[in-house]
Amino acid sequence: VASTMASWLLMAPQEQCPSELHLSNCAIATEGFNELIQALVNNDAFPAPHPRKPDLGKLGIYLRLENNYIDEDAIKASIDDGTVTTFHKTDAPTCSDTVKVRLLVRQDNSLQQRPGPPPNPEDVPAPKPFTAKGKGKGKDNAKSGWNSRGNDSGSSRQKNDDWKSSWNDKGSWKDSQKADSWKDNKKDNSWNKQTSWNNGKDSWKDTKKDSWSDNK
């Protein structure tokens, strides 16, 4: 893979020159690294003008190579001859007409290479899941959130309709209960009136009977 990339870098015109190469954890060996550096050295399109501020001059390609299997002496040799320069994330970009590569290193300036030869492709573990970062990170999430709110809104409307229906059912139950209560009260009152009338009737009979007895 490094050889294929080196072949393309060797022939790339200036308008197609990449400004960054992220090659960490790619199992690149020393031979592949040397081919990449040699391609950049032999192509006069590198270094290309600053990608954002071309008036500032030419800027070496931004390169990351951590966790590969490159002999650190080979990297140091390219630094010593001026082809590669190292920098930290906190450093401002420095333009140069001769530096081909700006190699990112840690604050302790370690090159972070693994010892020994790279593993066989079939022995390499699966890559970690990709997580989007930077600009536009929240756009899809915002749309997703809006759609979710729309769905929730529909659910809320359904819940409200169900609640209203339930409330109406309760009102119907109350009306029914009220009607039954009215019937019962009416029935009870009617019975009480009848009982009271019977009591009055019996009382009238007793009074009349006593009065007849006295007259006799």
Side-chain angles (χ1 to χ4, degrees):
V1 175
S3 297
T4 302
M5 187 177 296
S7 299
W8 180 80
L9 290 172
L10 178 62
M11 303 300 295
Q14 189 175 82
E15 59 272 14
Q16 294 181 6
C17 288
S19 59
E20 299 184 10
L21 282 178
H22 294 257
L23 300 177
S24 302
N25 299 287
C26 289
I28 297 174
T30 304
E31 182 180 357
F33 169 77
N34 288 333
E35 289 185 19
L36 290 171
I37 295 300
Q38 196 61 39
L40 295 172
V41 169
N42 293 332
N43 188 345
D44 292 336
F46 296 98
H50 193 297
R52 294 186 184 133
K53 300 177 181 179
D55 293 342
L56 295 179
K58 296 181 177 182
L59 188 64
I61 190 170
Y62 174 110
L63 179 63
R64 296 193 64 162
L65 281 175
E66 308 98 276
N67 301 318
N68 283 296
Y69 297 84
I70 304 168
D71 185 348
E72 293 190 0
D73 288 339
I75 299 176
K76 291 176 182 178
S78 63
I79 294 173
D80 292 340
D81 66 19
T83 303
V84 177
T85 186
T86 59
F87 76 103
H88 307 137
K89 278 190 174 181
T90 55
D91 296 342
T94 302
C95 293
S96 169
D97 291 336
T98 58
V99 174
K100 302 279 187 173
V101 175
R102 296 180 300 122
L103 180 64
L104 180 67
V105 297
R106 298 175 60 174
Q107 291 295 330
D108 60 3
N109 294 321
S110 61
L111 299 175
Q112 294 180 265
Q113 296 302 304
R114 294 173 175 170
N120 295 322
E122 60 269 17
D123 298 330
V124 177
K128 296 180 181 179
F130 173 75
T131 302
K133 296 180 180 180
K135 292 183 179 180
K137 178 181 178 182
K139 290 182 179 180
D140 292 338
N141 291 336
K143 292 179 181 178
S144 173
W146 178 261
N147 291 334
S148 297
R149 286 195 293 272
N151 292 335
D152 291 343
S153 177
S155 299
S156 298
R157 287 195 295 270
Q158 182 63 39
K159 288 180 181 178
N160 288 336
D161 292 340
D162 293 343
W163 179 83
K164 290 179 181 179
S165 176
S166 176
W167 178 258
N168 291 335
D169 290 342
K170 289 181 180 179
S172 176
W173 174 80
K174 287 184 177 180
D175 293 340
S176 176
Q177 188 182 45
K178 184 185 289 187
D180 292 342
S181 177
W182 177 82
K183 289 178 181 179
D184 292 340
N185 290 336
K186 185 176 181 181
K187 187 175 181 180
D188 292 343
N189 291 336
S190 177
W191 180 82
N192 290 334
K193 289 179 180 180
Q194 186 175 1
T195 304
S196 176
W197 179 82
N198 288 336
N199 291 338
K201 185 176 181 181
D202 293 341
S203 177
W204 175 81
K205 286 181 179 180
D206 292 341
T207 302
K208 187 174 182 181
K209 185 175 180 181
D210 292 341
S211 175
W212 179 80
S213 298
D214 293 339
N215 290 333
K216 188 175 177 181

